């Protein structure tokens, strides 16, 4: 793993057959952690607001 190219997606942690890669947050207060089971609840308000904006936006030509 190259730490200069890491974007924090954590795919490497699931692909490592030896479970040798662990990710940790240097500044946990700068982001909000959401459990994977609760992801839908976390994005639902944004998703609904975005849907309304898309549906009722004026068509620009």
């Amino acid at each position: 793993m190259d730490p200069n190219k890491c974007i924090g997606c954590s795919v490497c942690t699931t692909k490592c057959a030896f479970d040798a890669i662990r990710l940790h947050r240097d500044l946990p207060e700068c982001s909000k952690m959401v459990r994977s089971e609760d992801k839908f609840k976390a994005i639902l308000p944004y998703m609904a607001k975005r849907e309304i904006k898309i549906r009722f936006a004026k068509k620009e030509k």
Side-chain angles (χ1 to χ4, degrees):
M1 178 181 100
D2 185 357
N4 295 321
K5 294 181 180 179
C6 179
I7 60 170
C9 67
S10 74
V11 171
C12 60
T13 61
T14 59
K15 298 294 181 184
C16 181
F18 303 103
D19 197 25
I21 302 172
R22 307 272 179 179
L23 296 179
H24 70 277
R25 295 183 182 272
D26 291 333
L27 301 170
E29 65 277 358
C30 293
S31 63
K32 180 180 173 187
M33 295 290 292
V34 178
R35 293 178 35 194
S36 61
E37 295 85 11
D38 299 331
K39 287 282 185 190
F40 191 70
K41 289 185 234 174
I43 64 170
L44 187 62
Y46 173 76
M47 186 174 65
K49 189 168 100 175
R50 186 75 183 128
E51 177 71 19
I52 291 169
K53 282 184 179 181
I54 291 170
R55 285 189 187 255
F56 297 108
K58 292 182 180 178
K59 305 285 183 191
E60 294 183 26
K61 291 183 178 184

